[in-house]
Amino acid sequence: MRIGDVAAVRIRDIDLRAGEVQVRLNKTHTNQGYQTGTPKSRAGRRDVPILDDTLLRDLGDHVRSHPHRADLEASLWPGKVPGHNVLSYDRDFDPKGFYRYTFKPACDRAGLTGLHFHELRHTFATLALESRALTMYELSVAMGHESEAVTNKVYAHLRKRDYSAHRAAFSAHFAAQSFAVAPVQIIGS
């Protein structure tokens, strides 16, 4: 998900049974501050699968312990209290503040200095394709791309494809076939 998608997630957007986050809104920064609205394209409105069991469990724990869990319109994430290093669910989540005061310092402590939030999106896409958890089409939908061609252009080349499973399936299919061998005829004899 893009940071604007993550920032706009509400309680209602987490579907733990289906194991997905429903992207229906996003936050964009304007000269009047952050504005919440609908994604700019039809493809931006989507359901993103949660493919990791630990993440699904942790997200479920977060929703169940959320102080405003009964309010389906409540933001999933707390916001920072201005001038303090305190988070509050009564404050709006600020993506830039999150990046500056939480994400970047955490990355630095983990030895990942210079990592940008958007790179997590690329990592997810690469791993989803590499693990075959999603097809190119399914990934395209999950990423909110207008077409599979966009997803293919950006992500397909990142890692060499392993065709060993394909080769084994084709070889097994080919070996199981009974082919009648036709005699060779020489034309013109």
Side-chain angles (χ1 to χ4, degrees):
M1 294 170 58
R2 297 172 182 93
I3 188 64
D5 300 333
V6 172
V9 173
R10 304 161 298 175
I11 297 290
R12 82 165 50 251
D13 299 326
I14 304 300
D15 186 339
L16 296 171
R17 285 196 187 152
E20 63 190 18
V21 178
Q22 299 166 345
V23 177
R24 301 297 181 261
L25 299 172
N26 68 6
K27 278 190 177 187
T28 54
H29 193 264
T30 69
N31 55 4
Q32 282 102 26
Y34 282 99
Q35 303 294 317
T36 301
T38 56
K40 63 182 178 182
S41 72
R42 180 184 51 81
R45 185 181 166 93
R46 64 202 189 277
D47 299 334
V48 179
I50 303 167
L51 299 178
D52 181 74
D53 289 332
T54 302
L55 178 59
L56 182 62
R57 185 189 66 243
D58 290 350
L59 197 51
D61 291 346
H62 179 72
V63 170
R64 284 186 287 280
S65 66
H66 195 291
H68 303 299
R69 67 185 162 276
D71 178 5
L72 298 181
E73 297 303 317
S75 175
L76 186 65
W77 312 114
K80 186 178 172 301
V81 175
H84 303 282
N85 199 14
V86 175
L87 296 175
S88 171
Y89 285 95
D90 297 321
R91 304 288 307 173
D92 281 337
F93 179 81
D94 172 8
K96 284 187 179 184
F98 167 76
Y99 181 77
R100 182 179 300 123
Y101 299 113
T102 304
F103 183 80
K104 191 172 179 309
C107 289
D108 291 345
R109 284 191 304 276
L112 300 171
T113 301
L115 181 69
H116 296 279
F117 189 86
H118 199 75
E119 290 171 311
L120 300 176
R121 179 176 157 85
H122 291 284
T123 300
F124 164 78
T126 301
L127 294 174
L129 286 175
E130 185 179 66
S131 67
R132 294 191 181 102
L134 298 175
T135 65
M136 188 66 73
Y137 173 76
E138 291 167 328
L139 180 63
S140 177
V141 171
M143 299 292 285
H145 291 158
E146 287 291 331
S147 75
E148 187 177 341
V150 171
T151 311
N152 190 46
K153 179 180 178 186
V154 175
Y155 298 106
H157 71 282
L158 294 178
R159 298 203 185 226
K160 277 287 197 193
R161 182 120 187 223
D162 177 7
Y163 289 104
S164 58
H166 298 84
R167 194 170 31 260
F170 183 82
S171 295
H173 175 75
F174 189 73
Q177 302 301 313
S178 59
F179 295 100
V181 179
V184 177
Q185 289 183 322
I186 299 176
I187 300 176
S189 319

